[in-house]
Amino acid sequence: MLQGKCIVLGVSGGIAAYKAAELLRLLVKSGAEAHVVMTRSAREFIAPLTFQTLSGNPVHTELFDLIQEQEIGHISLADRADLVLVAPATANLVGKVANGIADDLLTTTIMATRAKVLFAPAMNSNMWNNPVYRQNQAKLEDLGYHFIEPVYGDLACGWQGPGKLPDPQEIFNAAQVLLGSSELSGKTVLVTAGPTREELDPVRFLSNYSSGKMGYAIARAARNRGARVILVSGPVSLTEPAGVETVHVVSAQEMYRAVMEKAVQADVIIKAAAVADFRPVRRGEQKTKKGPAEAMTVELQRNPDILAELGRQKGHRILVGFAAETEELLKHAREKLTGKNLDMIVANDVTQEGAGFDGDTNIVRLLTADGKIEELPQMSKDLVAGLLLDRITALLPKG
Ligand code: PMT
């Protein structure tokens, strides 16, 4: 798969550095030419000889080493790379790159490259959740750098939480997805994300737990593959992805209008939004007073089914829906797939740990109109987005 690709594997100093050896083995096995760059602290955790033996190439460590520079300098490494993959990426390394600091061979290579850069962060869960780190990662994501999220687990520091380096195979898959890129150039992808809010009065609304993470990951992945991306987003607290046209809406009716207006431009429509099926018949002009009543009835009316309407006006477009289910996943997903005239539906059982609303991972099954079902294991929403776009690309007419 990676035959002929030049991958610079950056290793920074964390306990997970040993897993980079397994990642390197996978890269080499798949035919990639791999060059390893280690930071000084990475060498405290694992010896360069391990990487040299596995890659068959000298390991690069020093910015100003004359012999190394002569053989293959940092600019040459940066130029030759098809991908710079940093695993593990420490908070320090991510912070440096986010702030333009290039004070060693790895940070210099990352700054100098025009290739895609994929970070696989691993750190203590409190560091991972630290707003300073979050801002650094968000800044880099907005600038088009790629991240594979760490997983939840027991950390070397004794804490339990997010921060563990994903399985090397997962990182390898993410690298593969990235290197299969730009296949969507010239295509317009319309993505919906997040919840809708249906107002009861000026201070209350009906909604759901969608954070928008799944839809935003799809928008970023489509952008990274060269597509023009329109993102219609319900109210979420995520950063707008750079290079994506984002339209903000609140209610299902607003989402309906925005999507129908933009749909005519789209080659692919992916509806990850969790749209409220009903809205209150009446919206109070003022905050509703509880008065003496012990109970209260709110009358609801149906919202437009945006996806079903898109299915009626499908034309040449590839139409992909999501199904968030709590029971009979496949049965309900199949009903939506055929009932809404879709090419594919992404079914997630939102009661499953690690799947559905708000978290950073999802567990999905991809059902296609030809009756096939692909079952995917738990993976980050970024990775789900990448695989989903692979499958959608295969459905697009060739040429
Ligand atoms: O946002 P996150 O926190 O990351 O969570 C991700 C997610 C759980 C929201 C996502 O993975 C997901 O499942 N999205 C679809 C949620 C949903 O509304 O499912 P549904 O089964 O109710 O709807 C089926 C499809 O019809 C969806 O594509 C939905 O966008 C669409 N729909 C539904 C109702 C409606 N009135 N109009 C619609 O277009």
Side-chain angles (χ1 to χ4, degrees):
M1 245 319 257
L2 300 183
Q3 195 69 42
K5 299 284 183 195
C6 175
I7 299 187
V8 172
L9 174 62
V11 185
S12 61
I15 185 70
Y18 75 93
K19 288 191 189 169
E22 173 62 9
L23 175 59
L24 176 61
R25 202 187 58 76
L26 293 171
L27 293 170
V28 171
K29 201 171 141 207
S30 74
E33 173 194 339
H35 293 274
V36 178
V37 179
M38 298 179 79
T39 63
R40 186 180 296 272
S41 45
R43 282 174 276 144
E44 301 288 337
F45 289 93
I46 182 164
L49 186 60
T50 307
F51 293 113
Q52 185 160 315
T53 310
L54 288 169
S55 70
N57 286 315
V59 170
H60 307 272
T61 49
E62 298 299 336
L63 184 53
F64 299 112
D65 184 309
L66 287 179
I67 297 167
Q68 285 185 4
E69 276 292 303
Q70 202 178 14
E71 283 169 354
I72 178 168
H74 64 278
I75 298 298
S76 164
L77 264 184
D79 285 350
R80 283 179 58 179
D82 293 298
L83 176 73
V84 177
L85 168 55
V86 189
T90 58
N92 181 53
L93 189 279
V94 172
K96 277 190 194 173
V97 180
N99 291 286
I101 298 169
D103 64 352
D104 62 9
L105 182 58
L106 182 54
T107 46
T108 311
T109 306
I110 295 168
M111 300 287 280
T113 193
R114 295 179 65 191
K116 293 176 178 169
V117 179
L118 172 62
F119 292 100
M123 62 195 74
N124 164 275
S125 51
N126 295 330
M127 287 169 91
W128 169 252
N129 287 319
N130 188 310
V132 175
Y133 176 78
R134 307 259 29 104
Q135 276 178 16
N136 287 336
Q137 179 171 327
K139 183 174 170 187
L140 290 177
E141 280 177 321
D142 284 347
L143 291 169
Y145 290 85
H146 305 271
F147 280 80
I148 173 168
E149 304 280 296
V151 292
Y152 190 98
D154 292 324
L155 302 171
C157 51
W159 284 82
Q160 226 193 20
K164 214 174 150 66
L165 191 75
D167 193 58
Q169 183 67 52
E170 275 246 353
I171 303 172
F172 174 79
N173 292 348
Q176 264 194 333
V177 167
L178 272 183
L179 284 168
S181 296
S182 80
E183 63 268 36
L184 289 177
S185 66
K187 302 288 180 202
T188 298
V189 177
L190 171 59
V191 183
T192 70
T196 64
R197 284 182 187 169
E198 312 301 323
E199 288 196 352
L200 288 153
D201 65 25
V203 299
R204 302 183 181 95
F205 54 82
L206 302 175
S207 191
N208 57 66
Y209 293 111
S210 172
S211 63
K213 286 179 186 173
M214 189 67 250
Y216 275 56
I218 296 169
R220 285 194 301 270
R223 174 201 64 192
N224 294 342
R225 279 153 193 257
R228 173 185 168 226
V229 182
I230 306 170
L231 172 64
V232 177
S233 172
V236 298
S237 51
L238 302 175
T239 316
E240 270 185 27
V244 166
E245 178 187 336
T246 306
V247 181
H248 294 281
V249 297
V250 176
S251 67
Q253 285 179 298
E254 283 174 24
M255 186 172 277
Y256 175 80
R257 284 192 288 272
V259 169
M260 297 318 290
E261 187 196 318
K262 300 289 181 188
V264 285
Q265 304 168 30
D267 300 288
V268 176
I269 304 179
I270 309 170
K271 286 223 68 252
V275 186
D277 287 318
F278 291 91
R279 67 179 182 277
V281 171
R282 279 170 295 278
R283 176 193 181 276
E285 284 298 311
Q286 307 298 336
K287 181 180 168 190
T288 312
K289 294 289 165 203
K290 55 181 171 297
E294 281 302 317
M296 182 183 198
T297 304
V298 176
E299 199 185 341
L300 302 176
Q301 63 182 313
R302 266 200 113 87
N303 270 325
D305 189 321
I306 309 167
L307 191 53
E309 188 52 41
L310 289 168
R312 283 189 282 275
Q313 307 182 21
K314 186 168 178 296
H316 67 281
R317 285 173 213 95
I318 301 291
L319 194 51
V320 178
F322 269 71
E325 306 296 344
T326 57
E327 54 170 358
E328 299 197 80
L329 180 67
L330 289 178
K331 176 173 175 281
H332 292 310
R334 267 195 209 104
E335 281 164 6
K336 287 172 187 171
L337 177 69
T338 49
K340 300 191 189 198
N341 193 20
L342 310 178
D343 295 286
M344 187 189 292
I345 194 151
V346 184
N348 43 191
D349 174 349
V350 293
T351 62
Q352 244 183 309
E353 178 101 4
F357 295 111
D358 198 30
D360 293 324
T361 62
N362 208 349
I363 305 168
V364 302
R365 289 172 203 202
L366 308 180
L367 284 70
T368 36
D370 59 8
K372 293 202 180 104
I373 302 176
E374 184 177 4
E375 202 168 328
L376 300 177
Q378 179 174 348
M379 53 176 78
S380 71
K381 285 182 176 171
D382 283 319
L383 211 46
V384 172
L387 282 165
L388 177 58
L389 285 166
D390 273 354
R391 304 303 180 258
I392 291 171
T393 304
L395 297 177
L396 282 166
K398 303 279 171 286

